[in-house]
Amino acid sequence: MSKSTNHVDVKLRPFKHQVGGHTCVLEISGTAICKPFTTKEAWFYKHVLDGLKDFIPKYLGETYVKCNIESDRKCLVASVPNEILNTDFRGNLQQDQTSIVSNEPQKKRRRKSKECCDADDSMLEAWSTTCIDRQINRYGFWANNQPQRFLILENLVHKYERPCMMDLKMGRRQYGDDSCDEKRKLLEKRCARTTSVTLGFRICGSQVYDVRTGQYVCHNKYHGRKLDDKGAVQELVNFFHDGECVRIEAVQGVLDKLNALKVAMATQKKFLFRAASLLLMYDAAPSRRKGDTFKENSGNNGNALNVDLVNNVPENCSHLVHSEANCSIHNGDNLIPQFSSNCAQTIGEKLPDNKTGSCVNCHSVAGNNEMEVVTDIRLIDFAHVSEITDVDNESTDDETISFGLDKLREIFNDILRRYK
């Protein structure tokens, strides 16, 4: 396999913000990741309609990943275009912490990214590492030193300081037309036992940043499979809880994007989305009031951001929700945070209409203190997306991911009514 002169070999790392899925996701650079190639998914990215492009990751091409042995350890390496390392796909140059393969000894240890700098990266990488091991042991990747084909995609959280993510498997039917009978029966049973049938989605993983502890609370897909409808709704509320309050501004931002996605799905007539995954994302970094600007903190060499906000939260702020849960990293256990009974507002209670305050983490505050937060949603995993045929035109919304999108919109509207 020849290598273009504008390509460079890069050592890949587990993508520490992978919260769901069963195939591995590898980090190429701060702005790009890669995942195993499938013909259907590559076809979708190359033929996607313009109206859907804002709701999927940017497709950046393909590469082959090889597995080298260095000091008795496996090292995954890919050849990628230079521009992937040097731009953020919006024309901006960037400084990246990519490990480029070189014959020279590494003089300095790679500095941690600002993302999750207070959290233990090895904990965040736990699920991604599990998926890499599965890729090797179950699917035989890199057996006999054979390079494996991968898709290169945009890293959706590369500008997030404290990325919070939830992976939802959308659709009441999650097998493909080409699935064997054994796999079809397995997936039908799994959907029937979980919220996939009743809600049209199943929670397959999440990470939420706790602003008080500086750590993430993580759940994997096995936790999501245990949840009934009520538990799934509560987990969505917990996802927007940052250890101090429910981030109403994040709920509103995600809901606005869900409404836009619903419109885009209804107007496109090319693809049938029986199943896909949906990523919900927001940045748990300190919010800012609309109109305020972020200022660089020169005392921290430009690596930290200061926000010109009120930092003194009144003791009687009715928006605060204090968690007593252990906020260390959890994978697979049935943990749903519990909240102190002496809080001004415990989870599930409606905020009294006559309560006001100046909590900088809240959206519903007095006066013009409306807060902003970075939010996003993206569809991923398109192995079961197909072109619409004459027969498919008879399909109803209940047979596609639209059913789950409608349920999510109902749930988020209810959360806004309860907490706003």
Side-chain angles (χ1 to χ4, degrees):
M1 182 178 61
S2 60
K3 183 173 71 174
S4 174
T5 55
N6 67 338
H7 281 55
V8 62
D9 285 343
V10 174
K11 291 183 179 180
L12 308 179
R13 303 182 291 271
F15 180 51
K16 64 184 178 182
H17 298 305
Q18 179 182 2
V19 296
H22 63 278
T23 58
C24 65
V25 178
L26 304 173
E27 182 180 338
I28 295 175
S29 68
T31 58
I33 54 97
C34 62
K35 61 176 294 188
F37 174 94
T38 66
T39 301
K40 282 189 174 181
E41 191 159 31
W43 173 85
F44 175 83
Y45 277 113
K46 293 174 182 177
H47 295 87
V48 67
L49 301 171
D50 288 342
L52 293 175
K53 286 185 177 179
D54 287 340
F55 302 101
I56 67 171
K58 186 176 179 63
Y59 171 73
L60 303 174
E62 299 175 17
T63 188
Y64 280 86
V65 176
K66 56 187 178 180
C67 184
N68 298 335
I69 304 298
E70 297 182 2
S71 302
D72 296 326
R73 298 182 63 183
K74 293 178 180 177
C75 179
L76 301 178
V77 177
S79 176
V80 300
N82 271 313
E83 56 264 26
I84 287 181
L85 307 181
N86 298 323
T87 63
D88 64 0
F89 318 125
R90 293 167 181 79
N92 302 317
L93 293 177
Q94 63 162 15
Q95 290 184 344
D96 198 12
Q97 302 298 329
T98 304
S99 297
I100 299 176
V101 176
S102 172
N103 293 327
E104 298 179 2
Q106 193 171 0
K107 296 180 180 179
K108 293 184 179 180
R109 186 177 180 181
R110 182 175 61 89
R111 187 179 62 189
K112 274 190 176 182
S113 166
K114 69 178 181 179
E115 297 175 0
C116 320
C117 59
D118 295 328
D120 187 345
D121 281 3
S122 64
M123 288 293 207
L124 280 176
E125 291 176 358
W127 185 249
S128 182
T129 301
T130 297
C131 292
I132 294 173
D133 292 340
R134 182 187 293 113
Q135 211 79 44
I136 294 172
N137 299 324
R138 181 179 297 182
Y139 301 114
F141 265 43
W142 302 290
N144 303 317
N145 294 321
Q146 288 295 315
Q148 299 295 319
R149 195 175 181 182
F150 275 63
L151 297 173
I152 305 176
L153 303 171
E154 173 188 10
N155 176 1
L156 297 172
V157 295
H158 75 275
K159 285 192 173 182
Y160 286 40
E161 186 176 350
R162 304 289 188 219
C164 297
M165 306 179 69
M166 178 174 280
D167 187 327
L168 303 175
K169 188 174 286 294
M170 307 296 296
R172 306 176 83 186
R173 168 189 147 172
Q174 295 171 357
Y175 57 84
D177 294 331
D178 56 350
S179 298
C180 64
D181 288 341
E182 182 180 0
K183 185 173 183 179
R184 179 175 299 191
K185 291 178 181 178
L186 172 66
L187 294 177
E188 284 178 341
K189 289 181 180 178
R190 185 172 296 165
C191 287
R193 291 195 302 262
T194 64
T195 60
S196 293
V197 168
T198 53
L199 296 179
F201 66 86
R202 182 171 74 245
I203 298 174
C204 288
S206 65
Q207 66 177 40
V208 182
Y209 185 76
D210 189 303
V211 298
R212 298 174 308 112
T213 65
Q215 291 186 321
Y216 278 89
V217 176
C218 300
H219 290 141
N220 62 29
K221 64 181 182 181
Y222 302 110
H223 172 74
R225 289 180 188 175
K226 299 176 184 177
L227 301 173
D228 58 12
D229 289 6
K230 184 178 180 180
V233 172
Q234 183 65 63
E235 195 72 6
L236 286 168
V237 175
N238 294 344
F239 174 64
F240 291 101
H241 193 282
D242 66 2
E244 291 184 342
C245 65
V246 176
R247 300 290 295 270
I248 291 299
E249 77 281 11
V251 180
Q252 184 67 65
V254 168
L255 176 59
D256 290 343
K257 291 175 172 60
L258 283 173
N259 290 334
L261 174 58
K262 177 66 177 179
V263 173
M265 294 290 292
T267 55
Q268 69 87 27
K269 303 298 180 184
K270 182 178 177 64
F271 301 109
L272 180 65
F273 290 83
R274 281 204 178 95
S277 291
L278 178 68
L279 288 180
L280 311 180
M281 296 166 281
Y282 72 93
D283 193 346
S287 300
R288 62 189 179 97
R289 292 190 181 89
K290 289 184 177 180
D292 286 347
T293 57
F294 288 104
K295 296 181 180 180
E296 195 171 273
N297 183 354
S298 59
N300 287 292
N301 299 321
N303 294 326
L305 293 174
N306 273 349
V307 186
D308 187 17
L309 294 173
V310 177
N311 292 317
N312 295 320
V313 180
E315 293 181 358
N316 62 351
C317 176
S318 60
H319 300 183
L320 295 179
V321 183
H322 304 279
S323 171
E324 290 185 336
N326 180 359
C327 293
S328 58
I329 302 299
H330 296 274
N331 284 287
D333 55 34
N334 190 19
L335 174 68
I336 298 179
Q338 302 297 315
F339 298 91
S340 173
S341 60
N342 60 4
C343 290
Q345 180 198 5
T346 56
I347 207 148
E349 293 181 358
K350 187 179 186 303
L351 187 67
D353 293 335
N354 62 343
K355 295 292 184 179
T356 58
S358 58
C359 172
V360 299
N361 292 306
C362 298
H363 175 81
S364 52
V365 292
N368 60 355
N369 295 333
E370 191 174 3
M371 309 300 292
E372 288 184 316
V373 66
V374 178
T375 61
D376 202 359
I377 65 169
R378 299 295 178 98
L379 290 169
I380 58 172
D381 299 338
F382 304 107
H384 299 318
V385 174
S386 58
E387 282 192 284
I388 293 177
T389 64
D390 292 338
V391 175
D392 293 328
N393 282 327
E394 300 176 2
S395 299
T396 66
D397 281 353
D398 287 359
E399 298 172 336
T400 69
I401 68 172
S402 292
F403 180 83
L405 290 177
D406 287 340
K407 289 292 185 181
L408 282 172
R409 292 161 67 212
E410 291 176 12
I411 292 169
F412 289 143
N413 274 310
D414 183 61
I415 293 174
L416 290 178
R417 285 191 293 268
R418 289 161 60 190
Y419 295 101
K420 195 169 184 178

